[in-house]
Amino acid sequence: MDLKTNNIGKTFSGVNVLRNVDFDLKPGEVHALVGENGAGKSTFVKILSGVYTPTEGDIFLDDKKVNITSPIIAQKNGVSLIHQEPQSFSHLSVAENIFMGHMEGNNFSRVKWQDINKKSNAILQSIGLKIDPKKIMEGLSIADQQMIEIAGALSKNSKVLIMDEPTSPLTPNEVGKLFDIVNKLKSNGMAIIFISHRLEEIRQISDRVTIFRDGDLITTKNINEVSNEEIIKFMIGRNIEETEVKENQFIKNDEYILNVKNLSLSKKFNDISFNLKKGEILGFAGLVGAGRTEVAKSIFGAEKFDKGEIIYDGESIINNSPNEAINNGFAYVPEDRKQMGIFGPVAVEDNITSAIPKDISNSMGLINSKTVTTLTNDYINKFNIILTSGRQLIEELSGGNQQKCIISKWLLSKPKVLILDEPTRGVDVGVKSEMYEIINKLAEEGTAIILISSELPEILSLSHRIIVMREGKITKILNNKEATQEKIMSYAIN
Amino acid sequence: MTLFDKFLRIRELGIFSIIVVFVIVAAIIDPRFMTLDSWRAVFLAIPLILVMAMGQMMVIICRHVDISIGSILAFSAIVIGLLYIQFPGLSLWLSLIITAFVGLVMGLINGFIVTRFNVHSIIVTLGTLSLYRGLVFIVSGGRQIDRNDIPEHVVSFSQTSFLFSIPGILIFSGIIVVITHLVMRHSVLGREIYATGSNPVAAHLKGINVTKVTLFCFGICGMLAGVAGLFYASRFGYVNPGVTGVGIEFIVIAGVIIGGTSITGGSGSVLGTFLGILLLGIINVALPVLNIPGEFQKAIYGLIIVVALALDQLIIYRMKKLSGGINA
Amino acid sequence: MLKTISIYLSENPTLRYWIVRPEWVAVILLIISIISSIQLSPFFADLAFIMDSATPYVEYGLIAIILTLIIISGEIDLSIASMIALTAVIFGTAYNAGFGMPISMLIALFSGTLCGLFNGILVTQLQIPSIILTIGTLTLYRGIAQSLASDFSLGGYPSWFIGIDYRYIGIVPIPVIIFTVFAVVVGFFLSSTIYGKQLYLIGTNPQTAKYSGIKVNRIKLLLFTLSGLVCGIAGVLTTSRLAVARFNMATGAELEIVLMVMLGGTYIFGGRGNIFGTFVAFWIVVILRAGLNVARIKIESQLTILGAMLIIAIILTNYIYSKSQK
């Protein structure tokens, strides 16, 4: 089936995340979508698969205009999305997982077991998968679950298959198997959209590649006509200006505050070793899923680790809980602001003082509300947080101001090691530069900072050193002088 | 996967072994337990609970709990009892239809509140538990339906029948169990119920109408509790507004949970539930034989629920570990 | 008109914070129920009558106050009524077994604490949802009470112990004083101490609470244990009031206790609510029950009204919270 889009755009509460996307997909083609996190490729495929409805523009299937308003309608039109984390029913059989939602007959019809088992078997065989369709889903590997989801799409006679980073949870061996299947489907005339961060895979499997950046479709190229370096350049942007690199003078001291040795957690990260000086900003670059957040959580005591050692201020320590970590002088600004960063329907001042219970209460536990207000107002003024009063609910503030509140909260706990996980995500440009000033100033005052960020310019301009991670391992540690966006990207991807 | 894990998966086998061990132990301690009378007592005690358990099982499989079923039973029993005072000739079939309808409406009310206002079903049905119980008193004026108010053909329903004199309620509950099995195991809707409980988000994505499925489960659960009301009137020969069906929900829930139905939804079988209820029935009859006072019964049921819940949680944890544990 | 008000309120967070709160519904309901019950019978204009009507509900009220804390922190305890009965029966058994009055009381309180601790451990360590677990322990605790006491009424207490509801200070019965003092103390604890504040934070977002260094599990464990302890106190108080302990006392009390909390505007999903609301709701239940009794509506039929009120209270509270913040 031919798929074309004309001028597709999407706006979320006033923010334009996708603009003027003209895209086309031919039957028998594997079309890769690449772009940095937040470039718009996920939003785009969600529009195609009916999860979002576009704010503007049209979708055409075989030159017929279609209105895709829900996943069900998308599926009925032959467009299926394969989720990165398979959406399966673990208590039901493989055949049921394939046919759930579109079994023959009405509610009280008998399920035609033989029929669906036979059909499932045929589909599974056609993609070269040896699984008994009567087997219960529970206990199957992610790879198998993914294949079964593909089988489900085939059972609905899908003509367009969208695969959102299907390879990221798979082992190399499983990736090979998946690619065999993709090639088979392709030769049968299936049109496939394939999202991946791994350029080698894209080179191996796809015919054309489309690059997204900041909500725009930058270009579409035949894969043979474009080099990896060129793709990376398109992803980052034409004008890679020389970002200002800071001098490393004031951390000439050799006071190591943190020394992480061979930290490992099974299936998350492996053999992570690095050290951190007082006043140093250590950037962590890499793609989503590279394991950076998991490392941070393990250091902060929110998750365990299997092996390794953390030496802090000359002593080997283990933070068994965030509570211990905070008492030891650690602080963590989490990536997922809504789920782990803020108490949404709670006043700003209670949010800001939530990590320092002892500082705002006396020995009896009585809260000194004057202290709460003073401390809050200090930071409201210092960071120029825009709100009506400290009693306003934090969820009513803009993302940037929320983030300033969270950073205030952690600065109040006077951390020696501050971990920032995507601190400027969803923050507008003005606040961003304010945030950079804050971060630099903290480092100058001697706070050691771990900065996890997916925005390369941010990492480059702030960090003294940059650790690049890929699939749970450190692939390179770069000094800021030698680091460039291209270098980081190539270590993060290959 | 170890043998132990396989064993954990086939819960019916586990509960069946417990029953066998229990029966053997009881028979050794006191051979009287193996008499026909004991087993007749077991199978007479079961139908009422079993029928309700079928509905409760469906509700639990789709991730909810209905604790108002005792009150629904009482209400339908009172309604049918009052009708018998007016029309002693009311046929059994008509009685069945009436009680089923009364229960259905009450179950649908539960389901409507749960799906429309998105409040946990236990809190909602805690409310309707009292609400319906109060209605029982209002409708009956607090008066008991006496033995002589229940017509003979209704009483004999739980004593004998045309088929080898097997009590009618036993046959009838057997039919309900078989139908439930067929619906849950083999119908499209039944499989959608499992899918909804197993993963509501995925169910919605696959085009299953989750609200409809949930309403169906609550409706049937209420309907079967209503039918159980008729069974109650037939078997006990009286209906007392303050006694009938009080606390029965916990016995039913206990039976369903030990039968292997997971409280987190998506799994559970009619066979397992049947065995769970059978075990409770056997314990019930075995207690006096084993010289354990009947007062211990509720504590034992309670302990069983708590142990089954804990075990369920441990099994879920173990299964997650086995399958590689996405975000475990 | 309504729109201007809502815009005005959205621009004044402090004002809105004070105005759009479900406990005002409780206050309005209380005023309505007082006025209508005075219409019904002049008894209700008599403060002493209302005070006397309140004594049987004090035990529930005490527990409702602790349950408010538990629900604010995002959990629930439905085994409360069974814990009253169990501790009362244990108290009676201990006393009849020859332990002195003080020792028996201690045993009762201790066993309540143990029951609560058991709930807490299973909820925090095994991660069983509290709403389901406490349905199980509800059966278990009631069953143990029945095993202990059978169908007997455990009595024979010294006369000084019996009838705490007939002791007064002025016109106020001692249980009502206990309840009021307890409400004030816990209310103060919840609103003014750091621990109280942390309960709200846990209930609002347990994840963020954990990442902020709040010991979520330990606090929840403590709350469940405390709930058991207060049920123990309620068990002893009930025994004093009734002069006997039976396994089936306080049957169905979880409805009235949960109703007091819900009617007081505590949010069923946690994070919001306060003791003032529960305190007001306590008096609503008292006056409602007394009014229905005066109107000669059977106690059992009153269940209909209580059950309906519970459902309406939850729906209304959810609605108000969904309006007060988008």
Side-chain angles (χ1 to χ4, degrees):
Chain A
M1 195 185 289
D2 238 22
L3 183 146
K4 276 201 183 68
T5 70
N6 187 3
N7 205 24
I8 290 279
K10 179 72 185 172
T11 307
F12 281 117
S13 48
V15 183
N16 203 330
V17 292
L18 204 63
R19 284 174 296 271
N20 309 333
V21 176
D22 295 327
F23 175 85
D24 78 289
L25 177 70
K26 299 188 194 91
E29 170 188 49
V30 176
H31 196 138
L33 302 188
V34 295
E36 287 186 283
N37 305 316
K41 56 189 191 312
S42 289
T43 311
F44 179 60
V45 295
K46 278 183 179 155
I47 287 173
L48 293 184
S49 59
V51 179
Y52 297 153
T53 42
T55 326
E56 53 184 332
D58 301 310
I59 302 170
F60 298 91
L61 289 172
D62 280 341
D63 297 323
K64 259 204 314 221
K65 192 180 160 212
V66 285
N67 262 329
I68 295 179
T69 50
S70 79
I72 314 299
I73 292 175
Q75 287 163 21
K76 284 202 173 125
N77 279 301
V79 181
S80 285
L81 174 69
I82 308 298
H83 299 89
Q84 188 184 354
E85 297 285 351
Q87 292 286 333
S88 46
F89 306 108
S90 55
H91 304 95
L92 302 186
S93 79
V94 171
E96 283 178 283
N97 268 278
I98 293 174
F99 281 94
M100 186 53 69
H102 58 284
M103 291 196 228
E104 269 177 58
N106 62 22
N107 287 332
F108 292 102
S109 311
R110 190 184 157 88
V111 176
K112 298 189 178 83
W113 292 108
Q114 282 192 328
D115 191 46
I116 67 167
N117 284 337
K118 219 165 86 190
K119 279 186 188 160
S120 301
N121 217 0
I123 295 171
L124 291 171
Q125 251 166 20
S126 78
I127 55 177
L129 200 64
K130 287 190 191 88
I131 296 180
D132 181 1
K134 289 181 207 144
K135 203 174 155 65
I136 299 297
M137 202 72 170
E138 195 164 47
L140 290 184
S141 71
I142 304 269
D144 286 343
Q145 293 185 37
Q146 210 174 56
M147 313 280 181
I148 288 161
E149 207 165 320
I150 295 174
L154 295 180
S155 75
K156 281 175 253 180
N157 289 319
S158 298
K159 297 286 186 277
V160 176
L161 209 56
I162 303 169
M163 307 174 86
D164 189 359
E165 291 196 48
T167 56
S168 58
L170 304 186
T171 64
N173 202 2
E174 292 168 337
V175 171
K177 261 187 169 172
L178 177 70
F179 283 2
D180 288 345
I181 293 173
V182 170
N183 278 324
K184 253 184 210 149
L185 295 176
K186 180 176 141 182
S187 60
N188 289 339
M190 178 80 79
I192 295 164
I193 293 177
F194 180 86
I195 299 181
S196 175
H197 282 301
R198 301 173 184 163
L199 290 188
E200 284 322 306
E201 288 178 3
I202 286 173
R203 205 154 273 292
Q204 192 186 338
I205 194 76
S206 57
D207 304 298
R208 287 194 294 167
V209 54
T210 289
I211 297 123
F212 281 83
R213 188 179 68 233
D214 299 334
D216 291 309
L217 189 157
I218 301 301
T219 183
T220 299
K221 295 269 181 201
N222 283 328
I223 195 75
N224 303 326
E225 296 166 4
V226 63
S227 70
N228 280 3
E229 288 68 36
E230 281 172 302
I231 293 179
I232 290 174
K233 223 167 228 167
F234 282 126
M235 284 165 65
I236 303 168
R238 287 161 301 259
N239 45 341
I240 308 175
E241 53 217 74
E242 279 301 309
T243 27
E244 211 179 304
V245 173
K246 66 172 62 161
E247 293 299 322
N248 282 359
Q249 284 148 352
F250 56 85
I251 54 157
K252 278 201 175 124
N253 69 67
D254 279 334
E255 288 180 77
Y256 286 107
I257 182 104
L258 190 68
N259 199 341
V260 174
K261 285 181 181 167
N262 310 96
L263 211 61
S264 300
L265 177 63
S266 81
K267 287 175 183 156
K268 303 283 185 194
F269 54 81
N270 199 354
D271 206 13
I272 302 296
S273 301
F274 64 88
N275 50 43
L276 181 62
K277 286 179 188 176
K278 274 188 187 165
E280 182 181 28
I281 302 177
L282 182 61
F284 269 70
L287 299 165
V288 169
R292 298 170 297 165
T293 298
E294 287 75 9
V295 171
K297 282 184 181 171
S298 287
I299 293 174
F300 189 60
E303 255 154 59
K304 298 193 162 67
F305 53 88
D306 300 333
K307 268 181 276 174
E309 195 182 10
I310 298 172
I311 294 166
Y312 171 70
D313 231 354
E315 274 175 62
S316 175
I317 59 154
I318 293 176
N319 293 321
N320 287 311
S321 67
N323 184 282
E324 284 181 23
I326 293 165
N327 291 336
N328 281 330
F330 289 79
Y332 175 59
V333 175
E335 174 189 19
D336 189 341
R337 189 163 54 221
K338 208 171 163 200
Q339 290 299 320
M340 302 170 186
I342 60 165
F343 299 100
V346 168
V348 166
E349 55 181 33
D350 292 337
N351 267 282
I352 288 186
T353 55
S354 61
I356 46 160
K358 287 188 188 114
D359 297 5
I360 55 164
S361 61
N362 65 13
S363 56
M364 301 281 290
L366 280 183
I367 295 172
N368 186 338
S369 44
K370 243 188 211 146
T371 317
V372 171
T373 313
T374 332
L375 289 175
T376 309
N377 286 342
D378 273 0
Y379 277 93
I380 291 176
N381 295 331
K382 206 164 166 187
F383 289 167
N384 190 24
I385 301 172
I386 296 158
L387 37 59
T388 50
S389 89
R391 289 235 49 91
Q392 193 176 4
L393 306 184
I394 195 167
E395 65 185 6
E396 293 170 349
L397 306 189
S398 72
N401 284 307
Q402 288 183 9
Q403 196 69 343
K404 283 181 183 174
C405 292
I406 297 177
I407 290 179
S408 312
K409 156 177 158 181
W410 288 114
L411 294 191
L412 278 171
S413 75
K414 302 191 186 66
K416 297 205 178 86
V417 177
L418 175 62
I419 306 170
L420 301 166
D421 198 348
E422 305 285 359
T424 60
R425 174 171 294 173
V427 166
D428 59 74
V429 186
V431 177
K432 235 180 214 180
S433 61
E434 288 178 61
M435 211 87 99
Y436 293 162
E437 267 175 53
I438 296 171
I439 294 172
N440 275 326
K441 191 143 173 282
L442 281 172
E444 280 167 41
E445 288 164 5
T447 313
I449 294 173
I450 292 176
L451 172 71
I452 300 172
S453 174
S454 297
E455 289 190 34
L456 293 180
E458 180 170 301
I459 288 254
L460 278 170
S461 66
L462 287 174
S463 317
H464 298 107
R465 282 183 301 148
I466 297 154
I467 288 181
V468 188
M469 280 184 72
R470 183 169 66 91
E471 292 174 9
K473 293 195 186 84
I474 293 180
T475 46
K476 187 71 185 173
I477 302 184
L478 293 160
N479 264 322
N480 60 353
K481 290 264 153 105
E482 52 176 333
T484 60
Q485 298 200 27
E486 285 93 339
K487 262 192 192 168
I488 294 177
M489 260 308 191
S490 64
Y491 283 115
I493 290 177
N494 295 319
Chain B
M1 193 187 301
T2 63
L3 203 66
F4 178 66
D5 290 318
K6 270 190 185 157
F7 186 73
L8 285 184
R9 273 193 194 187
I10 312 170
R11 306 254 192 111
E12 290 86 356
L13 203 63
I15 173 95
F16 185 70
S17 346
I18 294 173
I19 291 179
V20 170
V21 171
F22 189 86
V23 168
I24 292 175
V25 171
I28 290 174
I29 295 177
D30 191 335
R32 267 184 307 163
F33 180 67
M34 290 309 282
T35 58
L36 201 63
D37 273 355
S38 293
W39 287 94
R40 192 180 162 81
V42 169
F43 280 100
L44 265 180
I46 285 180
L48 187 82
I49 310 282
L50 192 57
V51 166
M52 294 173 98
M54 288 300 120
Q56 188 68 257
M57 180 194 75
M58 291 167 68
V59 171
I60 294 182
I61 286 175
C62 85
R63 288 202 178 185
H64 292 281
V65 181
D66 184 347
I67 61 171
S68 72
I69 49 175
S71 302
I72 297 179
L73 176 149
F75 188 77
S76 104
I78 278 290
V79 166
I80 201 69
L82 290 172
L83 282 174
Y84 284 143
I85 293 176
Q86 294 294 316
F87 314 99
L90 199 65
S91 83
L92 203 56
W93 291 112
L94 205 54
S95 313
L96 267 175
I97 292 169
I98 292 169
T99 49
F101 181 76
V102 167
L104 177 68
V105 170
M106 295 181 133
L108 285 177
I109 292 174
N110 288 338
F112 172 76
I113 300 172
V114 169
T115 52
R116 176 70 181 75
F117 297 102
N118 207 10
V119 182
H120 197 291
S121 52
I122 290 181
I123 297 289
V124 171
T125 52
L126 178 68
T128 53
L129 169 118
S130 308
L131 202 160
Y132 297 159
R133 177 65 62 182
L135 287 181
V136 172
F137 280 95
I138 291 173
V139 169
S140 68
R143 187 179 155 267
Q144 169 166 321
I145 309 286
D146 287 324
R147 174 133 212 139
N148 47 13
D149 293 331
I150 312 270
E152 197 46 43
H153 67 278
V154 175
V155 174
S156 73
F157 180 48
S158 60
Q159 289 167 347
T160 180
S161 75
F162 57 90
L163 199 73
F164 307 119
S165 304
I166 298 171
I169 50 169
L170 199 56
I171 297 174
F172 195 79
S173 63
I175 293 172
I176 288 177
V177 168
V178 171
I179 292 176
T180 313
H181 172 77
L182 289 177
V183 168
M184 293 305 282
R185 185 75 194 86
H186 292 296
S187 82
V188 172
L189 181 65
R191 303 320 285 170
E192 288 185 354
I193 294 174
Y194 279 100
T196 302
S198 180
N199 188 343
V201 177
H204 177 73
L205 284 176
K206 301 243 177 183
I208 294 172
N209 187 339
V210 174
T211 306
K212 184 193 82 182
V213 167
T214 311
L215 268 177
F216 177 79
C217 290
F218 274 101
I220 296 298
C221 183
M223 187 180 96
L224 292 178
V227 170
L230 177 66
F231 284 19
Y232 189 97
S234 160
R235 181 162 143 62
F236 296 99
Y238 72 93
V239 183
N240 183 307
V243 173
T244 298
V246 172
I248 204 170
E249 53 274 0
F250 299 115
I251 301 174
V252 171
I253 292 169
V256 173
I257 292 179
I258 35 172
T261 303
S262 171
I263 207 78
T264 46
S267 76
S269 71
V270 168
L271 178 64
T273 304
F274 170 73
L275 291 172
I277 300 296
L278 183 64
L279 178 63
L280 293 188
I282 291 174
I283 291 176
N284 188 23
V285 173
L287 288 184
V289 177
L290 299 179
N291 277 327
I292 299 171
E295 290 80 29
F296 281 61
Q297 187 188 359
K298 195 165 189 181
I300 293 172
Y301 287 179
L303 191 67
I304 288 175
I305 299 185
V306 174
V307 169
L309 282 175
L311 209 64
D312 191 44
Q313 206 68 12
L314 290 174
I315 291 174
I316 290 170
Y317 180 74
R318 186 154 179 100
M319 285 298 155
K320 254 193 196 150
K321 241 180 149 182
L322 264 182
S323 61
I326 322 158
N327 307 322
Chain C
M1 168 70 179
L2 265 175
K3 203 159 193 182
T4 15
I5 292 176
S6 78
I7 289 172
Y8 182 73
L9 285 180
S10 71
E11 283 163 357
N12 291 277
T14 323
L15 197 63
R16 185 190 57 189
Y17 178 78
W18 285 109
I19 288 183
V20 188
R21 317 196 88 188
E23 57 263 34
W24 295 126
V25 176
V27 172
I28 293 166
L29 264 178
L30 181 62
I31 294 168
I32 293 174
S33 56
I34 290 176
I35 292 173
S36 51
S37 55
I38 289 176
Q39 297 288 319
L40 183 78
S41 153
F43 279 138
F44 284 93
D46 180 7
L47 204 58
F49 172 77
I50 294 180
M51 289 291 169
D52 282 343
S53 313
T55 45
Y57 297 99
V58 161
E59 296 108 26
Y60 299 173
L62 291 173
I63 298 168
I65 282 169
I66 290 298
L67 189 63
T68 308
L69 302 186
I70 293 183
I71 295 182
I72 285 175
S73 73
E75 301 288 343
I76 197 167
D77 185 351
L78 292 175
S79 68
I80 36 187
S82 298
M83 289 197 285
I84 299 180
L86 178 56
T87 51
V89 163
I90 287 177
F91 169 71
T93 312
Y95 184 73
N96 282 322
F99 293 98
M101 192 47 92
I103 303 284
S104 303
M105 282 187 188
L106 277 180
I107 292 175
L109 300 194
F110 180 72
S111 54
T113 311
L114 222 55
C115 289
L117 186 69
F118 183 70
N119 281 338
I121 287 175
L122 288 179
V123 168
T124 56
Q125 298 309 309
L126 279 181
Q127 305 285 328
I128 305 174
S130 55
I131 192 165
I132 287 162
L133 173 83
T134 53
I135 282 282
T137 52
L138 174 159
T139 315
L140 177 64
Y141 296 156
R142 179 76 69 180
I144 298 176
Q146 192 177 6
S147 316
L148 275 176
S150 194
D151 204 23
F152 297 113
S153 301
L154 304 170
Y157 311 103
S159 59
W160 64 263
F161 173 74
I162 296 168
I164 192 169
D165 48 328
Y166 285 107
R167 318 272 157 88
Y168 294 86
I169 296 180
I171 59 158
V172 191
I174 285 180
V176 175
I177 292 176
I178 295 177
F179 170 67
T180 311
V181 170
F182 190 63
V184 170
V185 169
V186 176
F188 179 75
F189 165 85
L190 184 64
S191 64
S192 305
T193 71
I194 193 71
Y195 313 107
K197 191 151 273 183
Q198 290 189 340
L199 294 187
Y200 286 103
L201 296 181
I202 292 172
T204 306
N205 188 337
Q207 275 285 62
T208 307
K210 180 185 157 197
Y211 279 92
S212 305
I214 298 172
K215 294 171 181 161
V216 177
N217 275 348
R218 191 175 302 182
I219 291 174
K220 282 184 179 172
L221 185 68
L222 212 68
L223 281 179
F224 277 103
T225 313
L226 200 64
S227 169
L229 174 64
V230 172
C231 287
I233 295 172
V236 175
L237 284 178
T238 314
T239 313
S240 162
R241 185 164 59 78
L242 300 177
V244 290
R246 291 183 53 81
F247 84 90
N248 61 356
M249 53 203 250
T251 297
E254 52 274 341
L255 171 80
E256 273 167 300
I257 298 172
V258 173
L259 175 62
M260 284 177 193
V261 182
M262 292 293 113
L263 211 53
T266 299
Y267 190 44
I268 188 73
F269 299 113
R272 283 163 272 180
N274 58 36
I275 299 295
F276 173 70
T278 306
F279 185 76
V280 173
F282 168 83
W283 291 103
I284 297 176
V285 171
V286 166
I287 289 173
L288 185 79
R289 281 289 212 167
L292 292 172
N293 285 339
V294 169
R296 291 177 183 281
I297 292 173
K298 283 211 189 66
I299 293 196
E300 294 83 0
S301 310
Q302 297 175 8
L303 284 175
T304 309
I305 295 163
L306 295 179
M309 277 178 79
L310 175 64
I311 291 169
I312 293 169
I314 294 171
I315 293 171
L316 206 64
T317 310
N318 288 359
Y319 178 77
I320 289 175
Y321 279 128
S322 75
K323 282 290 150 191
S324 75
Q325 52 236 183
K326 38 186 191 335

